[in-house]
Amino acid sequence: DAGVIQSPRHEVTEMGQEVTLRCKPISGHNSLFWYRQTMMRGLELLIYFNNNVPIDDSGMPEDRFSAKMPNASFSTLKIQPSEPRDSAVYFCASSEGVAEQFFGPGTRLTVL
Amino acid sequence: QQPVQSPQAVILREGEDAVINCSSSKALYSVHWYRQKHGEAPVFLMILLKGGEQKGHEKISASFNEKKQQSSLYLTASQLSYSGTYFCGTEPTSGSARQLTFGSGTQLTVLP
């Protein structure tokens, strides 16, 4: 298996622009997680899906952030409009049941 | 609430031992341990599901004291490849299952 796939790997955009991050989980995994990592705040859970349904989005910082999982093999995290403080590395992870989470390589987002 | 990890950083010589601690204010269902190398995604090390259980992976082992809501990661005879940042992720007994809250990390440096 190719593991969790994320795209793009790097994104540089200007403040106010819309940003869409993409994730393909490992086939057969029924849980998907979006995390954000910064030096100041560490690794934060943004939202968690189980069987394509959002279970907990309490970590989503603002209404500017939204996430979807239209099917078992694809998820998006959208930021609209983006702000400089959104600059971070965004990780997607997937797991099967009560087991380890496999992290994707991450998307490094820079908002100018 | 974020679990507390200690120490924040540790420097070792190859062959030396280290212990990393993780403490939570909540009753825990499980504790996960991950290692992240610079510029890479976190990689799963082990999960502890039962109180007092100790698991091991080569020369890395961990314990989980359910009553004290604490877990410790033991690195024995450290190797250069052990360098990285170690995170514990805790899963509470209440609330959304499968939701991990990560500690701020312990930066481990192994010198030759």
Side-chain angles (χ1 to χ4, degrees), chain B residues 31-111:
Chain B
V31 179
H32 299 220
W33 285 96
Y34 289 79
R35 177 173 62 207
Q36 184 178 29
K37 293 185 180 286
H38 184 69
E40 299 180 7
V43 174
F44 174 82
L45 293 175
M46 64 189 72
I47 178 174
L48 301 110
L49 293 174
K50 296 179 182 179
E53 183 175 8
Q54 188 155 351
K55 285 200 170 185
H57 176 68
E58 296 181 346
K59 293 181 179 177
I60 299 175
S61 62
S63 63
F64 177 23
N65 187 320
E66 192 176 350
K67 287 185 179 179
K68 292 185 177 181
Q69 298 162 190
Q70 293 175 345
S71 177
S72 294
L73 186 72
Y74 306 94
L75 298 101
T76 306
S78 57
Q79 305 169 13
L80 295 177
S81 61
Y82 287 2
S83 292
T85 302
Y86 289 78
F87 294 95
C88 67
T90 55
E91 185 177 357
T93 54
S94 60
S96 299
R98 308 299 301 110
Q99 181 174 329
L100 291 181
T101 302
F102 284 94
S104 57
T106 296
Q107 189 168 350
L108 181 77
T109 304
V110 181
L111 302 174

Side-chain angles (χ1 to χ4, degrees), chain A residues 78-91:
Chain A
K78 186 177 293 186
I79 307 172
Q80 166 65 19
S82 58
E83 296 182 3
R85 59 193 169 123
D86 300 331
S87 296
V89 179
Y90 290 81
F91 288 105

Side-chain angles (χ1 to χ4, degrees), chain A residues 35-60:
Chain A
Y35 291 93
R36 177 173 68 177
Q37 187 174 38
T38 61
M39 288 295 292
M40 290 297 295
R41 300 175 69 88
L43 195 59
E44 303 173 276
L45 176 67
L46 299 178
I47 187 169
Y48 150 51
F49 291 87
N50 188 49
N51 293 322
N52 312 338
V53 176
I55 302 300
D56 190 339
D57 64 355
S58 59
M60 296 285 262

